């Protein structure tokens, strides 16, 4: 099926990777910490993330994932989600995530089927997460295309809202589908959301999901 081959393998497994633009003009910049993501102009530059967010248990991180009840109308939970260690162009990660959780959703069927994924990878420390983010950023400066499972995948930088400590976006085009991946570095975690489909990858949905997932994680980390 489409979502198992393309989104499952490259979407969920790619939660720990981020894309940097190949030119200075397009490279996403670090975002200022904010307490709320509803308005950049009105949000105070204060706490994101709080010190107590250093470590959450796997159960806590799983609870922090967006539930079906917070998805837009028409989505259902997809039990076929998978995880893995695939990285863009198979670059070596400087650190391994200590905990990894994800959830996948699906909507529609056939050629109009769309999938969405949310995930959190937690590292041993905020510095490990930041170094992993930077390494992935560097790797993607020279990784623009690769062949994976018999398909040629093309990577393009994508604009994304500034959330957490830093955020990045990447569009993945293949011969059969388009995936839109968005990532946020938030303290010791890398937060990933993505949408994909053969006819519609739903960019607006991916943007909303990133906002909602970052907010939900930060709320859990403050407890």
């Amino acid at each position: 099926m489409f979502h198992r081959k393309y989104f499952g393998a490259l979407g969920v497994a790619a939660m720990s990777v981020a894309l940097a633009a190949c030119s200075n003009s397009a490279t996403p910049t670090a975002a200022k910490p904010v307490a709320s993501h509803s308005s950049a102009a009105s949000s105070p530059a204060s706490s994101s993330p709080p010190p107590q967010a250093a470590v959450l248990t796997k159960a806590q991180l799983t609870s922090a994932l967006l539930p079906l009840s917070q998805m837009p109308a028409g989505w259902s939970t997809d039990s076929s989600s998978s995880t893995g260690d695939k990285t863009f162009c198979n670059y070596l990660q400087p650190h391994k995530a200590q905990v990894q959780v994800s959830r996948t959703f699906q909507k529609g069927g056939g050629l109009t089927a769309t999938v969405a994924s949310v995930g959190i990878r937690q590292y041993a420390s905020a510095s490990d997460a930041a170094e992993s983010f930077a390494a992935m950023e560097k790797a993607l400066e020279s990784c623009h295309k690769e062949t994976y499972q018999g398909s040629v995948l093309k990577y393009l930088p994508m604009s994304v809202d500034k959330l957490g400590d830093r955020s990045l976006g990447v569009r993945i085009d293949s011969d059969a589908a388009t995936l839109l991946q968005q990532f946020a570095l938030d303290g010791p975690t890398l937060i990933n959301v993505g949408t994909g489909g053969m006819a519609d990858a739903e960019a607006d949905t991916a943007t909303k999901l990133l906002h909602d997932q970052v907010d939900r994680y930060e709320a859990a980390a403050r407890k």
Side-chain angles (χ1 to χ4, degrees), residues 85-216:
D85 294 323
K86 178 71 177 75
T87 60
F88 289 123
C89 295
N90 299 315
Y91 85 95
L92 296 178
Q93 303 177 66
H95 303 285
K96 279 282 191 178
Q98 301 293 301
V99 183
Q100 175 182 331
V101 295
S102 64
R103 183 167 290 146
T104 306
F105 307 92
Q106 62 183 349
K107 182 175 70 171
L111 294 178
T112 62
T114 306
V115 291
S117 178
V118 296
I120 305 171
R121 284 194 177 190
Q122 179 177 262
Y123 292 80
S125 65
S127 62
D128 279 5
E131 288 172 10
S132 297
F133 188 96
M136 291 178 270
E137 211 173 21
K138 179 66 175 178
L140 266 296
E141 289 178 358
S142 58
C143 175
H144 314 301
K145 182 173 69 174
E146 68 175 320
T147 299
Y148 181 66
Q149 293 187 348
S151 294
V152 175
L153 303 174
K154 298 178 181 179
Y155 306 131
L156 296 171
M158 183 178 69
S159 60
V160 62
D161 287 351
K162 306 299 189 291
L163 299 175
D165 302 311
R166 299 191 70 185
S167 52
L168 297 168
V170 54
R171 175 188 175 106
I172 307 173
D173 288 315
S174 74
D175 54 0
T178 295
L179 308 177
L180 304 179
Q181 294 283 342
Q182 298 190 13
F183 306 89
L185 170 66
D186 205 336
T189 67
L190 290 181
I191 297 171
N192 161 264
V193 307
T195 56
M198 298 178 70
D200 185 4
E202 300 198 2
D204 290 342
T205 297
T207 297
K208 183 180 186 303
L209 293 183
L210 184 63
H211 277 266
D212 291 347
Q213 185 58 79
V214 168
D215 285 343
R216 190 172 175 89

Side-chain angles (χ1 to χ4, degrees), residues 2-23:
F2 152 71
H3 63 276
R4 293 191 183 193
K5 180 177 180 181
Y6 294 99
F7 191 85
L10 253 178
V12 180
M15 282 186 293
S16 67
V17 303
L19 178 69
C22 302
S23 64

